[in-house]
Amino acid sequence: MDLPEGVSLWRGWLDLEAQRRLLGELSALLADTPPFRPTMPRSGRPFSVTMSNAGPLGWVSDRSGYRYQAHHPETGRPWPAIPRQVLEVWDKLAAYPAPPEACLINLYEAGARMGAHQDKDEAALDAPVLSISLGAAAQFAIGGITRSGATRKLLLQSGDVLALSGPARLAFHGVDKVLAGTSPLPRLPHGAERINLTLRRVTKPS
Ligand SMILES: O=C(O)CCC(=O)C(=O)O
Ligand SMILES: [Mn+2]
């Protein structure tokens, strides 16, 4: 299937065994770094996903805006290290000379979605955004760099890795729907149907 320029998809990059291992790591990480429910800037409307982070910087959103910060907004603790298995995915696929600084962990319960948005809170826009899907399949939509353009639908399944880079780095994208009950994995933590890890380089490497 032809993908828009700058969009790469490695289907089944993590096999079932690797997915299970990663899920084990994430369950332990989330026990100490619990998911929080972000709210929209200004309106304060809650997101339908809950989130946590790993890495020196974590992405958060609340009434004061979107930003990266070094600590969990509720526990006040620094984020834990990004799991090695996740860093290996970046090393193999990102083609970027520096490691990611943020691993955003999105947890989708049945019925959760993510509206169309751009990932643009990073200074290092020359680095790709890499995303790893685990659990139930999701209907992902990707458009161009304006909100009004046509969108392509992609089914993201457990073990898939997607990259947005170059001309697609600022493409609008979102998750229309999670197909509850399609996960090949045993129970995900915190009642999630799907977990997505989004790896980003935030600051320009020196
Ligand atoms: O869950 C996904 O597949 C996408 C997540 C995403 O776009 C984000 O966290 O910025
Ligand atoms: Mn995004």
Side-chain angles (χ1 to χ4, degrees):
M1 180 174 48
D2 271 358
L3 293 171
E5 206 188 336
V7 180
S8 310
L9 175 60
W10 293 271
R11 289 207 180 278
W13 180 261
L14 298 179
D15 64 19
L16 202 52
E17 180 49 38
Q19 293 169 42
R20 283 209 189 96
R21 229 176 339 119
L22 180 53
L23 187 61
E25 293 247 13
L26 290 175
S27 300
L29 186 155
L30 290 169
D32 286 342
T33 315
F36 59 95
R37 190 174 297 277
T39 53
M40 290 297 286
R42 294 184 295 278
S43 72
R45 218 180 124 202
F47 280 40
S48 77
V49 294
T50 58
M51 294 179 171
S52 191
N53 286 276
L57 291 172
W59 189 87
V60 302
S61 176
D62 59 21
R63 276 186 184 275
S64 359
Y66 304 137
R67 65 190 172 276
Y68 283 97
Q69 63 182 42
H71 57 272
H72 191 292
E74 290 171 0
T75 69
R77 288 197 295 266
W79 306 108
I82 300 176
R84 203 163 50 90
Q85 203 187 343
V86 172
L87 291 174
E88 279 171 16
V89 175
W90 178 273
D91 288 346
K92 294 221 169 83
L93 301 179
Y96 194 72
E101 292 169 298
C103 173
L104 171 61
I105 306 168
N106 290 304
L107 292 93
Y108 294 79
E109 288 174 21
R113 53 188 303 279
M114 190 176 286
H117 66 277
Q118 295 170 294
D119 288 9
K120 59 173 186 188
D121 300 319
E122 302 76 32
L125 290 174
D126 57 330
V129 171
L130 275 195
S131 104
I132 304 173
S133 292
L134 282 181
Q139 206 62 258
F140 184 84
I142 177 143
I145 59 170
T146 59
R147 193 180 278 283
S148 58
T151 58
R152 279 282 297 277
K153 312 268 183 216
L154 286 178
L155 189 72
L156 295 183
Q157 289 172 297
S158 201
D160 290 354
V161 179
L162 180 80
L164 301 184
S165 60
R169 175 62 183 77
L170 289 174
F172 276 89
H173 59 278
V175 172
D176 293 341
K177 184 158 116 178
V178 170
L179 309 182
T182 61
S183 174
L185 295 166
R187 245 163 45 85
L188 271 56
H190 298 276
E193 280 284 335
R194 171 174 189 260
I195 294 181
N196 173 265
L197 305 180
T198 290
L199 296 170
R200 306 187 188 122
R201 177 75 199 186
V202 180
T203 65
K204 290 228 179 230
S206 48

